[in-house]
Amino acid sequence: MVSDEFKTITDKVGEGIYTEKRSKFLAFTHHVETEDDVKAIVAQYRKKYYDARHVCYAYMLGAERSIFRANDDGEPSSTAGKPILGQINSNELTDILIVVVRYYGGVNLGTGGLIVAYKTASALAIDDSEIISRQVEETITYNFPYVMMNDVMRIVKEMKPRVVSQSYDNTCEIKLSIRKSEAEQLKAKLNKLSFE
């Protein structure tokens, strides 16, 4: 059974700071839902921290956690983006972007040191975030004659889907959003009304 629940963070920006051999790693978590959100936020950090040596990031999108990317921004391959993404994965989060800004302190940390630094900064930012569970929802649009209003509303009351929109005219239309695992049951009940 595919889970219809996933973990993400609220809109509160989580922050973490890690310092190693005078290099400073500033990590920030953001709730994002599209790759355009990611691009816009990363661009803001590049502008704000224009004097930083690296602005590395990783993100994960979608309830299935199938859209993700890690970016090393000039750091040695897999020493920045991958450890950041690793923290997203180990916390099973999605719809999240973590940006880590690095100010170089004049001392090379080596690949091991970099991995630890990016991983630790990301973990601190996640700890500072508010993690929440969300349900994967499916939206159902149902059209019906006005005389069926009471029957439709009885099902809405019973199954408690979220009413997205409704319009009442000669033909009524209601848009309902419900937890994916309950969507088929809701559709079946509404369809049964049509044949009564």
Side-chain angles (χ1 to χ4, degrees), residues 40-110:
I41 293 167
V42 170
Q44 285 168 1
Y45 278 101
R46 289 197 197 285
K47 199 170 160 185
K48 185 175 177 182
Y49 297 99
Y50 64 90
D51 55 341
R53 177 77 67 95
H54 305 280
V55 178
C56 306
Y57 63 91
Y59 64 85
M60 176 84 62
L61 298 174
E64 312 77 38
R65 304 177 73 237
S66 57
I67 302 164
F68 56 89
R69 181 152 180 241
N71 185 312
D72 294 319
D73 191 37
E75 289 283 31
S77 180
S78 301
T79 59
K82 233 182 185 163
I84 299 170
L85 188 61
Q87 286 304 302
I88 293 173
N89 279 325
S90 64
N91 286 280
E92 297 174 357
L93 295 168
T94 190
D95 290 347
I96 183 173
L97 162 68
I98 301 179
V99 178
V100 182
V101 177
R102 179 188 182 193
Y103 281 97
Y104 183 60
V107 181
N108 285 338
L109 303 181

Side-chain angles (χ1 to χ4, degrees), residues 3-69:
S3 169
D4 61 0
E5 212 168 62
F6 61 92
K7 287 194 314 188
T8 185
I9 59 170
T10 61
D11 288 332
K12 171 189 174 282
V13 176
E15 297 182 16
I17 297 173
Y18 180 76
T19 313
E20 180 65 40
K21 293 181 182 160
R22 298 201 306 275
S23 269
K24 243 177 139 174
F25 297 84
L26 313 175
F28 306 92
T29 59
H30 287 268
H31 177 81
V32 288
E33 292 182 2
T34 66
E35 290 184 320
D36 287 340
D37 292 350
V38 170
K39 286 183 188 120
I41 293 167
V42 170
Q44 285 168 1
Y45 278 101
R46 289 197 197 285
K47 199 170 160 185
K48 185 175 177 182
Y49 297 99
Y50 64 90
D51 55 341
R53 177 77 67 95
H54 305 280
V55 178
C56 306
Y57 63 91
Y59 64 85
M60 176 84 62
L61 298 174
E64 312 77 38
R65 304 177 73 237
S66 57
I67 302 164
F68 56 89
R69 181 152 180 241

Side-chain angles (χ1 to χ4, degrees), residues 90-162:
S90 64
N91 286 280
E92 297 174 357
L93 295 168
T94 190
D95 290 347
I96 183 173
L97 162 68
I98 301 179
V99 178
V100 182
V101 177
R102 179 188 182 193
Y103 281 97
Y104 183 60
V107 181
N108 285 338
L109 303 181
T111 53
L114 285 173
I115 290 169
V116 168
Y118 280 102
K119 181 179 170 181
T120 308
S122 301
L124 291 169
I126 289 171
D127 287 345
D128 189 46
S129 304
E130 293 166 20
I131 296 175
I132 52 169
S133 282
R134 289 249 173 101
Q135 271 93 39
V136 179
E137 292 185 330
E138 190 172 317
T139 302
I140 297 161
T141 303
Y142 184 66
N143 294 302
F144 57 96
Y146 190 80
V147 294
M148 287 170 54
M149 176 67 70
N150 289 344
D151 297 328
V152 171
M153 286 315 186
R154 192 181 63 242
I155 292 172
V156 168
K157 200 172 166 187
E158 179 189 322
M159 291 200 65
K160 297 180 179 57
R162 193 162 48 82

